[in-house]
Amino acid sequence: MTTVTLYHNPRCSKSRQTLALLEAQNVQINIVEYLKNVPSSDEISAILAMLAISPRELMRTKETEYKEQNLADVNLTDEQLINAMINTPKLIERPIAIAIANGKAAVGRPPENVLAIL
């Protein structure tokens, strides 16, 4: 059986839809409510590597906190952006699904994106 770790926000409709889609695929799901259990710098770096994207691409750039923290500044380093996500986990795009066996990851926007990693 495939095991997937899902970085999940139960208040987010896309996150709930992704969870339902994974449940329908009969996979074992490890749910991480990332707003309560904030991923570490190493965990975020590993997710970024699996997704093959930059930290800014994993951020919710329309959030008020993104603007308030001046995170659009192109001079910010990857480390600074990752630290911003740790300090304000609401900035992390959601949901993120990681297939444990193959080390592949996908952002569930749209939810069907996660099917590609199974």
Side-chain angles (χ1 to χ4, degrees):
M1 176 182 276
T2 302
T3 301
V4 172
T5 295
L6 183 66
Y7 287 85
H8 177 62
N9 177 353
R11 296 185 66 198
C12 169
S13 64
K14 295 293 183 203
S15 199
R16 290 191 309 270
Q17 290 168 10
T18 300
L19 176 58
L21 185 62
L22 289 170
E23 288 172 339
Q25 297 299 311
N26 199 30
V27 299
Q28 182 177 347
I29 306 165
N30 298 324
I31 296 174
V32 177
E33 288 191 34
Y34 68 92
L35 294 176
K36 294 178 183 175
N37 300 302
V38 181
S40 69
S41 176
D42 288 343
E43 289 170 313
I44 292 175
S45 293
I47 291 167
L48 291 167
M50 285 183 264
L51 291 169
I53 62 174
S54 71
R56 195 177 313 278
E57 291 174 284
L58 189 62
M59 298 180 90
R60 298 177 56 80
T61 59
K62 293 186 173 132
E63 293 292 340
T64 303
E65 292 83 352
Y66 185 86
K67 293 171 184 65
E68 288 175 349
Q69 295 178 39
N70 196 31
L71 296 172
D73 182 345
V74 296
N75 296 312
L76 293 174
T77 65
D78 286 354
E79 182 179 350
Q80 288 172 308
L81 294 172
I82 290 169
N83 284 334
M85 286 187 269
I86 292 167
N87 294 327
T88 312
K90 179 181 179 182
L91 292 170
I92 301 171
E93 187 60 85
R94 64 196 180 249
I96 303 166
I98 300 170
I100 304 302
N102 62 22
K104 292 182 180 179
V107 175
R109 289 188 174 269
E112 294 77 20
N113 282 354
V114 302
L115 296 175
I117 69 169
L118 301 180

